[in-house]
Amino acid sequence: MAAPIEFYFDFSSPYGFMAAQRIEALAARHGRAVDWHPMLLGVAFKQTGAMPLTEIPIKGAYAKHDFERTARYHGITGFRMPSRFPIPSQAPGRLVTWLKRDHPAQAAPVAKALYDAYFRADRDISSADVAADVAAEAGLARAEARAAMDDPAVKDAFRTDVESALARGVFGSPFVFADGEPFWGFDRFDQIDRWLESGGF
Amino acid sequence: MAAPIEFYFDFSSPYGFMAAQRIEALAARHGRAVDWHPMLLGVAFKQTGAMPLTEIPIKGAYAKHDFERTARYHGITGFRMPSRFPIPSQAPGRLVTWLKRDHPAQAAPVAKALYDAYFRADRDISSADVAADVAAEAGLARAEARAAMDDPAVKDAFRTDVESALARGVFGSPFVFADGEPFWGFDRFDQIDRWLESGGF
């Protein structure tokens, strides 16, 4: 099997949530796996001077409208803006980092479950307790999952992955590398599809 | 015929150039005309705190790469980043504003010719003299076109149109209203197509 698709996302990103609904099918059409990389937009924004989309004058109101419409356009059901938005996403990021190390088969399913909890069920996954609940509902031992988010080695591993993402030029969410080629945004999935189909264009 | 598609663009915007290559065919598929509205991103950026895409750390380098790739993806030939970028676009904006008033059938062809001059032939259309040359090549009287860009009434009309755009929430380029629904970005053309086909979704 060829190299996996590298999928970077922030758990607080609506377009990241939408991308998470489609990335596996996109990769599978081309015989690829997906490597899930939670990242922290806030850290990237310090370098680019960006701010959360919904907080930008004029553009913020449009963005909220576009989230809902884009979800409908792609047939992604159940999306709703969470009561608290944006959120710091260290806890779910660390949880997925730990899963990739200790329970790799669970990393993608739990990442999707975390996104569902936040963007469909309005649960505040920035809380390590809530994130642990979601992991438990997915079949993991709750106490182990909860402890992992406070484990210094897990925290370090997540920090290192976020720094690697920045070093690779990841400045937004979702952000995908397909055979090294960078694609920013759910609205570049058509280009990724053709890139994988044709070997580049 | 139903209401025209309202197409807002800055002459300094690469994605605006690409949108200009496709907007008429998109509108025609649904029996619509296009109302071409040059605007000034710099004025909008003052309200949103944005800056020219290519000047943003990290994101700027990606953007330049994405311009070229997106043009190839859509089969838009001849695109190349101009030597001078971005440019102030008052002169070509005023020229199109004047054409809409005095030679309306020439507004769209000359707008496209101005975009071609800048993004395909690397001519600096921020100069009123160069913009007048482009108008002359399109068959207009050069002296009349050149004078129009200094005409206070034309300047006022353009300023009013830019202010109206801001008041409607236009913060980027391209920006389209289809039956009142706002769409930002060339990458929303698929959504516009379905919106016009289905009457909204």
Side-chain angles (χ1 to χ4, degrees):
Chain A
M1 182 179 272
I5 303 302
E6 295 163 285
F7 175 49
Y8 290 85
F9 58 96
D10 186 310
F11 275 112
S12 191
S13 162
Y15 296 125
F17 161 77
M18 295 180 213
Q21 313 306 309
R22 296 290 184 263
I23 189 75
E24 289 172 314
L26 170 61
R29 276 199 294 279
H30 305 285
R32 305 294 184 106
V34 177
D35 191 4
W36 294 64
H37 287 278
M39 49 85 72
L40 297 173
L41 272 182
V43 178
F45 285 178
K46 279 183 194 159
Q47 297 204 358
T48 59
M51 58 193 289
L53 196 49
T54 54
E55 295 174 15
I56 300 171
I58 308 173
K59 198 170 176 174
Y62 173 84
K64 287 179 200 165
H65 185 76
D66 189 68
F67 296 156
E68 306 272 356
R69 186 180 63 206
T70 297
R72 293 195 303 274
Y73 178 73
H74 289 282
I76 294 168
T77 56
F79 171 82
R80 58 174 173 169
M81 280 302 284
S83 309
R84 185 182 173 204
F85 180 87
I87 51 168
S89 54
Q90 279 84 355
R94 288 167 183 158
L95 182 58
V96 171
T97 301
W98 166 68
L99 290 169
K100 287 175 73 173
R101 189 191 71 186
D102 287 6
H103 303 273
Q106 295 300 320
V110 172
K112 285 187 287 182
L114 287 161
Y115 256 145
D116 280 354
Y118 185 49
F119 282 111
R120 285 184 163 127
D122 197 16
R123 294 165 70 184
D124 183 356
I125 61 169
S126 71
S127 152
D129 288 329
V130 173
D133 288 344
V134 173
E137 291 156 20
L140 289 147
R142 190 187 184 287
E144 190 191 11
R146 179 65 190 80
M149 286 178 267
D150 291 332
D151 179 343
V154 171
K155 289 182 175 185
D156 276 353
F158 181 49
R159 189 180 306 114
T160 299
D161 205 36
V162 171
E163 283 166 6
S164 302
L166 291 177
R168 296 186 76 181
V170 174
F171 58 81
S173 167
F175 204 104
V176 168
F177 291 95
D179 296 333
E181 179 74 6
F183 295 90
W184 169 47
F186 184 40
D187 40 31
R188 287 296 177 273
F189 271 38
D190 288 348
Q191 291 196 25
I192 297 171
D193 202 37
R194 192 188 299 172
W195 194 272
L196 291 168
E197 184 68 36
S198 63
F201 55 82
Chain B
M1 183 179 269
I5 304 303
E6 295 163 284
F7 175 48
Y8 290 85
F9 58 97
D10 186 311
F11 275 111
S12 190
S13 161
Y15 296 125
F17 160 77
M18 295 180 213
Q21 313 306 310
R22 295 289 183 265
I23 190 74
E24 290 172 314
L26 171 61
R29 276 198 294 280
H30 305 285
R32 305 294 184 106
V34 178
D35 191 4
W36 294 64
H37 287 277
M39 50 85 72
L40 297 173
L41 274 181
V43 178
F45 285 178
K46 279 183 194 158
Q47 297 205 0
T48 59
M51 59 193 289
L53 196 50
T54 52
E55 294 174 15
I56 301 170
I58 308 172
K59 198 170 175 174
Y62 173 84
K64 287 180 201 166
H65 185 76
D66 190 68
F67 296 156
E68 306 271 358
R69 186 179 63 205
T70 296
R72 293 195 303 273
Y73 178 73
H74 288 282
I76 293 168
T77 55
F79 171 81
R80 57 174 173 169
M81 281 302 283
S83 310
R84 185 180 173 206
F85 179 87
I87 50 167
S89 54
Q90 278 84 355
R94 288 169 184 156
L95 181 59
V96 171
T97 300
W98 166 69
L99 290 169
K100 288 174 72 173
R101 191 190 70 186
D102 287 5
H103 303 273
Q106 295 300 321
V110 171
K112 286 187 288 183
L114 287 162
Y115 256 145
D116 280 354
Y118 185 49
F119 282 112
R120 285 185 164 128
D122 197 16
R123 294 165 69 184
D124 183 357
I125 60 168
S126 71
S127 152
D129 289 328
V130 173
D133 288 344
V134 173
E137 291 156 20
L140 288 147
R142 189 186 184 286
E144 190 192 10
R146 179 66 190 80
M149 286 179 266
D150 289 332
D151 178 345
V154 171
K155 289 182 175 184
D156 275 354
F158 181 49
R159 190 181 305 116
T160 299
D161 205 36
V162 171
E163 283 166 7
S164 302
L166 291 177
R168 297 186 75 181
V170 173
F171 59 80
S173 167
F175 204 105
V176 168
F177 290 95
D179 295 335
E181 180 74 7
F183 296 91
W184 169 46
F186 184 41
D187 41 31
R188 288 295 177 274
F189 271 37
D190 288 348
Q191 291 196 25
I192 297 171
D193 201 37
R194 193 188 299 171
W195 194 272
L196 290 168
E197 184 67 36
S198 63
F201 54 82

